[in-house]
Amino acid sequence: MMTTATEADVTDPGFWQDVLANLATFGWDLLTAVVAVAACVLIAWLLRFLIRRVVKRIVEGAKSKAKVDDTRALERSPLASVRVVQRTRTLGSILTNIVNVMMVIVALVLVFSILAPNVITSLSLLTAAVGAGLGFGAQNIVKDVLNGIFIVAEDQVGIGDVVDLGLATGVVEFVSVRITHVRDVNGVLWYVRNGEITRIGNMTQGWSRVVLDLTLPKDVVLEDVESLLTTTAQGLAHDPRWRSRVIGEPEVWGLESLEGETLVIRLVIKAKPTAKDDVARELRERLRAVLLTEGIDVTGIARATLEGAEGALRVRGANPPTLTSTLPERPTWRPRTPDQPTTDQTADGRDDEKEGDA
């Protein structure tokens, strides 16, 4: 005969004492869990506030150092200030995401450890399952996260940079540990996984070069035209409105090619990457006006893009020889005649070798 569980006697005072004790224990555990979650939320808020505070102070310091009121005006400031602001904002967004994820994980662990302690004891099995999942199904996620961390840590990309990621080209609007947001010229927002980025072409780091090829009649005097082009480009570089966008002195690379009845002269000037197109446009207008004033027919002023081996060889610019002094005549070898003295002949005309034999 099978025995059945005895029903609880609700009239027994001990039963209600046990119920009250269990409710008190559960209420205390629930209160502790709520306090733990509130503490995690408070810590996350404090960390996010601290991150925002640090980012704001760095940005304000860069703007104060550059003596500007708007972040966009930092384009006129030194490049280091722009990169500090971009990198600081990028790292700020990354750290904010990390703080949010870490606080959620800590809060969940604390809640389970309080309400269900037995679950924590089985974390070894859970860890093995998570490891197996990462090994098989989450390889791309791990790859994205690791690549994103290195991209940000090495300052390859910053918010506001104009980049070519191969998969998308445009302005970086947001960078997380897994995805980079890029807005192209048409307004399309591209979500690029960091793990899929194998190369990055950053168009807003360092400097950019404007290369202009001027097509002129073949009967012009090259020396006069090159001097005129140099003077015009230097006037743009020293103009108070443009000198903050131009880097270094312009260079005339000389006669690039001779085609039929025209010749092509190349002029280059370094500019800030964000002002490259504006500098090129203003320089073309000034060159056209000056050449027309001098009576030189301008057949064309084209923007040249150097690629491949030609572009690699011209990264440092043109470096023609500048030595003007005459070099000594290169000695030539001539056979010695029997009557010609050797180079070891002494000052009094006697041969050292013969003198030694004597």
Side-chain angles (χ1 to χ4, degrees):
M1 183 176 180
M2 298 178 60
T3 60
T4 58
T6 59
E7 295 182 358
D9 187 5
V10 295
T11 60
D12 186 6
F15 170 77
W16 293 107
Q17 291 181 355
D18 295 337
V19 171
L20 292 176
N22 293 332
L23 289 176
T25 303
F26 177 76
W28 179 256
D29 293 341
L30 183 61
L31 179 62
T32 304
V34 172
V35 172
V37 172
C40 291
V41 172
L42 179 62
I43 294 175
W45 181 84
L46 290 175
L47 291 176
R48 288 197 300 267
F49 174 79
L50 181 61
I51 293 172
R52 288 196 301 267
R53 186 77 174 178
V54 172
V55 170
K56 184 177 179 181
R57 287 187 63 115
I58 294 177
V59 173
E60 293 294 334
K63 292 194 294 185
S64 176
K65 186 177 180 181
K67 298 180 180 180
V68 296
D69 297 327
D70 189 4
T71 306
R72 296 181 179 178
L74 282 174
E75 294 179 357
R76 301 180 181 179
S77 66
L79 179 65
S81 300
V82 182
R83 293 307 304 169
V84 166
V85 171
Q86 292 174 343
R87 191 177 188 184
T88 302
R89 287 178 172 173
T90 305
L91 290 176
S93 64
I94 294 291
L95 292 177
T96 301
N97 293 333
I98 292 176
V99 167
N100 293 336
V101 173
M102 292 300 298
M103 287 298 101
V104 169
I105 294 176
V106 171
L108 291 176
V109 171
L110 290 177
V111 169
F112 280 112
S113 63
I114 294 171
L115 299 180
N118 296 329
V119 175
I120 300 300
T121 58
S122 60
L123 277 180
S124 57
L125 299 177
L126 180 62
T127 303
V130 171
L134 292 177
F136 292 99
Q139 294 181 4
N140 291 332
I141 296 178
V142 176
K143 182 180 178 181
D144 295 340
V145 172
L146 293 178
N147 200 24
I149 292 175
F150 283 113
I151 286 176
V152 175
E154 296 173 359
D155 196 23
Q156 301 176 21
V157 169
I159 296 177
D161 285 346
V162 180
V163 297
D164 180 6
L165 304 181
L167 301 173
T169 302
V171 180
V172 177
E173 291 191 349
F174 181 77
V175 179
S176 66
V177 293
R178 197 178 70 86
I179 292 178
T180 299
H181 300 180
V182 178
R183 178 86 62 177
D184 66 9
V185 67
N186 297 315
V188 180
L189 183 61
W190 296 88
Y191 297 87
V192 182
R193 286 174 41 204
N194 294 332
E196 298 296 326
I197 300 176
T198 57
R199 65 173 180 86
I200 299 176
N202 198 319
M203 306 176 193
T204 49
Q205 280 191 2
W207 51 268
S208 184
R209 177 177 278 151
V210 177
V211 182
L212 297 180
D213 285 346
L214 291 87
T215 305
L216 304 175
K218 68 175 183 180
D219 56 351
V220 298
V221 182
L222 285 179
E223 291 77 8
D224 297 340
V225 172
E226 290 180 358
S227 177
L228 183 62
L229 298 181
T230 302
T231 303
T232 306
Q234 288 178 347
L236 173 64
H238 298 157
D239 191 329
R241 298 179 303 168
W242 292 93
R243 64 186 177 186
S244 61
R245 305 187 181 190
V246 178
I247 301 175
E249 293 293 329
E251 300 176 356
V252 177
W253 286 1
L255 182 61
E256 187 66 23
S257 63
L258 182 63
E259 302 175 358
E261 298 296 325
T262 60
L263 51 84
V264 178
I265 299 178
R266 178 161 291 176
L267 171 67
V268 299
I269 185 171
K270 287 183 179 180
K272 288 189 175 180
T274 54
K276 177 181 177 180
D277 295 333
D278 297 332
V279 171
R281 188 177 299 108
E282 178 68 16
L283 183 58
R284 282 195 295 267
E285 294 178 358
R286 295 195 179 199
L287 291 175
R288 179 180 179 275
V290 170
L291 292 174
L292 291 178
T293 302
E294 295 295 328
I296 301 175
D297 185 19
V298 185
T299 306
I301 303 178
R303 178 91 165 264
T305 302
L306 305 183
E307 298 178 350
E310 182 183 8
L313 293 174
R314 287 298 186 93
V315 171
R316 295 186 177 89
N319 299 293
T322 57
L323 295 177
T324 56
S325 58
T326 58
L327 297 176
E329 183 181 358
R330 184 176 179 179
T332 57
W333 179 84
R334 297 183 180 87
R336 190 184 67 168
T337 60
D339 298 335
Q340 183 179 2
T342 62
T343 57
D344 294 334
Q345 188 176 12
T346 58
D348 55 359
R350 292 179 300 175
D351 197 329
D352 292 340
E353 295 181 358
K354 294 180 181 179
E355 189 176 286
D357 294 339

